[in-house]
Amino acid sequence: MAIANVGIIGSGAMGLGITHVCAQAGCNVVTVKATPGSWEKAKATLDRNLGKLVERGKMEAADKEAILGRVTFSTDERAVADCDLVIESVIEDLETKKDLFRRLESICRPNALLTTNTSTLSVTAMMAVCKQRDRVAGLHFFNPAPVMKLVEIIHAFETSDDTIQSLDAFCRHIGKDPVLVQDTTGFIVNRLLTPYMLNAIRMLERGTGTIESIDQAMKLGAAHPMGPFQLADYIGLDVVEAMAHNIFADVRHEHHAPPHTLTRLVQLGYLGMKTGKGFYDWSQKPAVQNPQLVRPVV
Ligand code: 3HC
């Protein structure tokens, strides 16, 4: 099935990034703000993100306008009724996502594909609340979605081969390199990346190195664009902690349990770049390691 009209539910960083990618590839996109309030701020954020690319000479001003012209914002989920594909990117809460899938099933056309951008929740659990399950799958993008080439296509218990083929063609059409993954907690990337970041935090707690030295070592020694602490701050420490909880709840291995320092930072509201402080103090240019973490938080 050719996918020309895409519905995105959720207008946070991921929802807007996916909106950008799909509209840039020529799809008509309906982006629904899932939480109360107007969509004006989401539209302004997309406009600003695209504007930065124009300022830096990465995009023509006319292309920016064409992209914005293909996006319709709404606060009404029913706006996705005519979409060929819906990608939900709402809060990482299974009950919220299950309720959304129940509603999408009655809103969308019978041949529309219904997908989730969840990081670590069960796609099969979302599928289970649907009557027509063969069209349900995971479509997991990475942050920043306009830059990261990978999309994990998640095959849940009753996803049909036709659905997988359509999603594979769609990902290639929007310029991504998809990988097919069976529905297991954390899929491939987060299942490997989460314990990696958690182990870096434990390394800090043991005093093996500092935030900066561990990051520097992984950037220069493993050719990662960001070290584990910079990456955790970039993803959001609340998100990293939630991923740890979800994976730990499934595998019950202590490697996946959130370390003390992570839990304390989240409790204190230090969530990384989005709040200005996490493992680093991002208000400084360049960012410096959070002075409160020179000693482990106990
Ligand atoms: N939108 C569009 N383009 C963007 C962008 C954005 N939000 N952010 C950066 N870019 C582009 C820039 O224009 C630039 O393009 P160019 O190569 O054509 O010049 C390029 O990306 C590099 O950007 P910068 O020069 O500004 O900055 P960096 O070189 O420091 O790169 C980064 C920034 C791309 C974020 C890089 O540091 C990186 O790849 N970091 C790792 C990101 C990562 O691992 N993400 C996965 C997180 S896990 C996840 O998302 C899963 C989820 O479930 C939690």
Side-chain angles (χ1 to χ4, degrees):
M1 185 181 89
I3 292 167
N5 301 305
V6 182
I8 316 274
I9 314 280
S11 58
M14 289 312 296
L16 283 185
I18 301 167
T19 299
H20 172 162
V21 172
C22 295
Q24 189 161 16
C27 299
N28 300 311
V29 184
V30 178
T31 300
V32 178
K33 180 165 170 20
T35 48
S38 99
W39 46 258
E40 303 283 344
K41 213 170 134 197
K43 186 175 181 184
T45 304
L46 178 61
D47 194 317
R48 200 169 52 245
N49 291 347
L50 295 169
K52 278 189 211 154
L53 296 178
V54 174
E55 276 164 33
R56 293 164 65 176
K58 308 279 177 205
M59 182 181 280
E60 296 295 328
D63 292 335
K64 174 193 160 193
E65 293 312 316
I67 291 171
L68 289 173
R70 284 192 282 272
V71 182
T72 308
F73 284 90
S74 179
T75 50
D76 185 353
E77 281 165 12
R78 285 169 299 186
V80 304
D82 289 328
C83 289
D84 307 309
L85 164 68
V86 177
I87 307 168
E88 78 75 19
S89 191
V90 303
I91 183 173
E92 279 288 274
D93 175 73
L94 187 56
E95 290 311 312
T96 305
K97 287 182 189 280
K98 280 160 64 177
D99 286 344
L100 176 59
F101 270 84
R102 283 189 192 98
R103 294 193 300 275
L104 286 176
E105 214 180 21
S106 57
I107 291 170
C108 297
R109 297 195 318 241
N111 62 345
L113 305 182
L114 307 183
T115 66
T116 172
N117 181 50
T118 184
S119 307
T120 46
L121 296 172
S122 163
V123 181
T124 303
M126 294 172 224
M127 166 184 275
V129 302
C130 296
K131 294 186 192 78
Q132 196 192 328
R133 296 171 171 179
D134 60 334
R135 60 172 171 164
V136 176
L139 211 49
H140 184 219
F141 290 77
F142 294 82
N143 193 16
V147 178
M148 303 297 283
K149 292 294 281 180
L150 181 68
V151 176
E152 290 176 322
I153 299 177
I154 319 301
H155 182 278
F157 209 75
E158 295 183 53
T159 311
S160 71
D161 291 347
D162 280 355
T163 296
I164 296 294
Q165 275 164 22
S166 298
L167 292 176
D168 185 89
F170 170 73
C171 288
R172 291 177 200 283
H173 172 68
I174 61 171
K176 300 299 180 193
D177 292 327
V179 169
L180 182 63
V181 193
Q182 299 304 318
D183 185 22
T184 46
T185 310
F187 317 127
I188 293 174
V189 174
N190 285 332
R191 187 67 172 259
L192 291 172
L193 209 50
T194 306
Y196 159 70
M197 290 184 285
L198 302 182
N199 278 327
I201 299 168
R202 288 194 188 95
M203 199 176 255
L204 176 72
E205 290 173 341
R206 281 197 297 273
T208 308
T210 63
I211 292 167
E212 281 167 353
S213 70
I214 295 168
D215 270 358
Q216 176 85 330
M218 290 311 293
K219 282 201 279 190
L220 300 184
H224 289 189
M226 291 174 163
F229 294 102
Q230 213 184 343
L231 182 62
D233 273 3
Y234 182 72
I235 292 172
L237 301 189
D238 51 338
V239 176
V240 175
E241 192 195 33
M243 294 198 298
H245 275 300
N246 289 338
I247 300 175
F248 180 73
D250 183 23
V251 300
R252 296 270 157 205
H253 190 290
E254 62 180 316
H255 269 281
H256 299 283
H260 192 71
T261 306
L262 177 64
T263 306
R264 286 287 178 267
L265 285 171
V266 173
Q267 281 170 345
L268 291 166
Y270 297 142
L271 306 183
M273 283 184 194
K274 62 188 167 188
T275 58
K277 205 186 256 186
F279 287 103
Y280 286 91
D281 178 352
W282 295 95
S283 66
Q284 310 286 318
K285 299 269 178 283
V288 293
Q289 54 187 357
N290 183 342
Q292 290 151 303
L293 293 176
V294 172
R295 293 185 312 280
V297 178
V298 289

